[in-house]
Amino acid sequence: MQVQFNDTLEHPNSLDAFTSPSSSQTKPGAADHAIRFGRFCAIPHSRQLLMDGRPQEIGGRAFDLLMVLLKSNGGIVSKDEILDEVWPSMVVEECNLRFQVKSLRRALGSQGHMIKTIVRRGYMLIRDDVLLESEVRFEAIQSKEFSKIDTPAMTKTTAPYIVLIEDDESVRRSISTLLRSVGLGVASFESVKVYQESAHADQPDCLILDVCLPGRSGLDFQADLLKTGMRYPIIFISGHADIQMSVRAMKAGAVEFLTKPVRHQDLLNAVDQAIGACDV
């Protein structure tokens, strides 16, 4: 996404000056270097975020995070780079970054999907509704990472490895494509039995399990793994979930419990959290 750095824009005395992105009328005042992106305008000097000319509630750290992402002009910003910029000369836990990402998405409201999580790489700010230059680069990154996954050696050495067990073929294919598009290695199976009989040697960084599976359910398989001492990070997905199921899964250590249809970004966020748990 290309953003506009308006070096000559004057800081307005009222918010009306920002109502229309195409408006050339500004009021006298100190230069504020406003940055327009989509329906938003970020004003660094006054640390304001406007949406359609109206101020949005945003915390100081979340605003700093927004500025870092905007300055990348559609590029991926690593977690280390963000931590250095947003928390200079401070040592903070990565959970603080995740919290601020959530805060920024809340500030962007219905446009929160502009903030994308790139698993094990960082974050980027793009727009889904219009194919801009930054999104072309994003698609190129996805294509490049996808081609790497086709090489078996790459799966184990460079890409986190995900095991997906889902009996619905269309869902299985969709999730596999999504995960591969962000550089993850994926092996998918239609049931727990098929997975176990595959004698897969690679240890997964994360398991994505449907709750309702033919034979052993996802919850049963989670219990089986715990009995054998295997504590893989597990993400559950289900189209027929209830509170009892989700409570059972989370008490047994699941990272997340998502209901179908699963939003892509929600799943990527959960996978990022699961892989992060492996790195601790």
Side-chain angles (χ1 to χ4, degrees), residues 79 93-95 98 117-121 123 160-162 184 204-206 232-235 255 267-280:
K79 294 176 183 178
E93 298 291 336
E94 193 174 309
C95 61
R98 292 197 182 106
T117 300
I118 311 301
V119 178
R120 264 199 179 175
R121 298 191 63 182
Y123 298 92
Y161 173 58
I162 312 299
L184 298 172
D205 293 289
C206 173
Y232 301 128
I234 296 176
I235 298 167
V255 173
L267 182 58
L268 291 178
N269 290 343
V271 170
D272 186 48
Q273 183 180 350
I275 292 173
C278 291
D279 294 336
V280 174

Side-chain angles (χ1 to χ4, degrees), residues 200-243:
H200 236 67
D202 292 337
Q203 298 296 306
D205 293 289
C206 173
L207 285 168
I208 300 177
L209 304 178
D210 192 358
V211 173
C212 299
L213 292 167
R216 300 294 285 171
S217 72
L219 292 171
D220 291 336
F221 186 42
Q222 180 190 36
D224 293 341
L225 291 172
L226 290 175
K227 288 178 182 177
T228 59
M230 296 182 181
R231 296 184 174 272
Y232 301 128
I234 296 176
I235 298 167
F236 280 101
I237 55 176
S238 177
H240 308 283
D242 57 33
I243 295 176

Side-chain angles (χ1 to χ4, degrees), residues 1-15:
M1 181 189 72
Q2 290 183 327
V3 297
Q4 288 182 288
F5 288 80
N6 299 322
D7 292 335
T8 60
L9 185 66
E10 302 292 323
H11 179 55
N13 293 325
S14 73
L15 300 179

Side-chain angles (χ1 to χ4, degrees), residues 164 166-178 188-190 210 237 260-261 264:
L164 167 66
E166 162 65 60
D167 62 324
D168 187 312
E169 182 181 356
S170 62
V171 174
R172 192 166 64 245
R173 183 170 57 251
S174 174
I175 291 178
S176 295
T177 300
L178 170 68
S188 62
F189 306 89
E190 63 187 51
D210 192 358
I237 55 176
K260 297 178 183 177
H264 286 183

